Amino acid sequence: MSFPNENPNPILKEESESESERSPRWSNISVKHNKPVNNMVLAMKLNSPRSPKTLIPNLSFIDRTLLLSDELLLRILSKLPLSHSNYNSLVCKRWLYLQGRLLPSIRLFDWNFLLSGRLIHRFPNLNHVDLIYASFISPPTSAIFFTNRVISMPVHSASSSGCCFSEDNMLPVEVIDSGLAALASGCPNLRRLHVIGASQMGLLTVADHCSTLQELELQKCSDNVLRGIAACTNLQILKLVGNVDGFYNSVVSDIGLTILAQGCKRLVKLELCGCEGSFDGIKAIGKCCQMLEELTFCDHRMDDGWLAALSYCENLKTLRFQSCKRIDSNLGQEEYLGSCPSLERLHLQKCQLRDKKTAAAMFSVCRTVREIIIHDCWGLDNTIFSFAIVCRRVKMLYLEGCSLLTTESLESVIHSWNELQSLRVVSCKNIKDSEISPALATLVTTLQDLTWRPDTKSLLPSSLAGIGIGNKGGKFFKRT
């Protein structure tokens, strides 16, 4: 007997009823009209381990440099040209940090970048830092710079032509000292530093933390500040700027020079710009700094009689005068002048040489030089240049912009130099080709190096083209 309305399998019926009573599953949810859910399910299927698409990974999206250590990647980046450094830092944050570790020097324009610690974090291995531009209060977008011989500062485009640049344009001393403290603690391997307006305490902090500091440029310097520099016992190159007309006024006297000499005994190069002093200060430097080889005076304010103290610089090899309105006005007794026994080079640039006694004393002190360079010096006439005869060991003479010097005076001096090998005459309009004597022409042929351009009408280079000039030396005649 059949029962068509009964379920032939009651167990399946119970299971179907229990399934309908259970909570809904993801597989039972309809995704036809639910687009967000549909996209999510599709993504889950693609990322499922059973999906065949994950068996072959897409290598184009893998950063293979992650397999390299920082040390190895640093070695690779260090071999690339410097022109690629900006592009390398844009690849990713890791490359940005590693490229910053390769940067050894920087010129800072924003002082807050130093105070916030971002400079040390971004460039942890700096050894050369220039803080001068960041020490001025100016708009950050200024592209105009007011420049003097030794300093340049940004100026707002709306500034009036008659504005005065004073110490008010600089950051306070406390702010500069705070920046130096942050820099010294973060860069213990600092070797070169350029700073302006620092105090004694700020420089003492640098001296305590940066024992390897070898080169320092300090602007707006005074005697008290030099007490901090004296603590830098390993300092070898030093540039001091005391007074700059139109910018700031600071005094460096014999007191400061004596303190400097007693503390920095390893100095090799010293440049004094706008500094005062006298015989005693230069004498202290000569006696204490036995390793000093190069000494530069720029727009000095030395007292009379200081030139005789140069004889105490026994190992001095290079003496430079730049933009000096005078050398020494009152020399005293001539027998006390002495000379620098090891001096090899004398450079004069944009100096006033009108005083005959001063010029005679200067060449007498520098009688052992082998190179004399005179560039755009006012007052250098035949009489002044004739005092250079005492320099018997000259091998190289370079004259440029000496408009008062004549051919006769030049010939009379260089004939007394038996060791002369190189002669360069540029832009000396009173030296004429027509006034060259046969003796001077013969002397020119024996030189190893000759540059002859006293004016644009000179014919000497073309007349000497076939006589074999330079056969006795390593250099041939240069026609420029």
Side-chain angles (χ1 to χ4, degrees), residues 34-198:
N34 195 339
K35 186 174 295 185
V37 177
N38 188 12
N39 295 336
M40 183 180 65
V41 172
L42 178 61
M44 292 174 62
K45 290 182 179 180
L46 292 177
N47 295 330
S48 175
R50 294 174 297 178
S51 176
K53 295 185 179 181
T54 59
L55 298 178
I56 304 177
N58 191 353
L59 299 179
S60 61
F61 295 99
I62 297 178
D63 186 3
R64 299 184 181 182
T65 61
L66 296 176
L67 303 176
L68 304 177
S69 63
D70 289 349
E71 292 74 15
L72 184 57
L73 190 56
L74 274 174
R75 293 182 58 183
I76 297 175
L77 293 177
S78 63
K79 301 298 182 181
L80 298 178
L82 294 178
S83 58
H84 295 179
S85 58
N86 292 334
Y87 302 105
N88 296 337
S89 61
L90 298 177
V91 174
C92 60
K93 290 185 177 180
R94 184 192 181 198
W95 284 41
L96 176 67
Y97 172 72
L98 294 178
Q99 191 67 43
R101 291 174 58 182
L102 294 175
L103 188 69
S105 62
I106 192 172
R107 174 177 291 177
L108 190 65
F109 289 89
D110 185 6
W111 197 265
N112 292 328
F113 191 68
L114 172 61
L115 294 178
S116 63
R118 290 177 293 170
L119 176 67
I120 308 303
H121 177 74
R122 177 73 175 82
F123 310 105
N125 297 325
L126 291 174
N127 56 41
H128 177 199
V129 180
D130 188 350
L131 302 176
I132 294 180
Y133 288 90
S135 303
F136 292 98
I137 302 175
S138 62
T141 58
S142 177
I144 303 175
F145 287 84
F146 187 81
T147 305
N148 200 335
R149 290 182 298 270
V150 295
I151 189 174
S152 178
M153 64 172 293
V155 182
H156 196 276
S157 58
S159 299
S160 60
S161 58
C163 61
C164 179
F165 302 98
S166 62
E167 299 179 4
D168 297 336
N169 299 103
M170 303 178 189
L171 294 175
V173 177
E174 297 79 9
V175 177
I176 294 179
D177 290 344
S178 300
L180 289 178
L183 180 65
S185 61
C187 300
N189 298 323
L190 195 64
R191 294 181 179 271
R192 298 175 62 185
L193 177 62
H194 303 256
V195 65
I196 181 174

Side-chain angles (χ1 to χ4, degrees), residues 3 41 67 70 215 222 288 328 345 347 350 366 410 427 454:
F3 299 92
V41 172
L67 303 176
D70 289 349
E215 183 175 349
S222 63
C288 297
D328 196 343
R345 291 172 288 273
H347 295 191
K350 296 182 180 180
C366 306
L410 175 64
S427 300

Side-chain angles (χ1 to χ4, degrees), residues 307-351:
L307 191 62
L310 291 176
S311 59
Y312 291 92
C313 303
E314 297 179 355
N315 296 319
L316 190 65
K317 295 182 179 180
T318 303
L319 179 62
R320 286 190 175 92
F321 294 96
Q322 298 177 356
S323 304
C324 295
K325 299 178 182 178
R326 60 181 180 85
I327 303 298
D328 196 343
S329 300
N330 189 3
L331 301 170
Q333 298 181 2
E334 186 176 353
E335 55 268 20
Y336 294 110
L337 278 178
S339 63
C340 298
S342 302
L343 194 63
E344 297 180 356
R345 291 172 288 273
L346 173 63
H347 295 191
L348 299 168
Q349 183 177 3
K350 296 182 180 180
C351 297

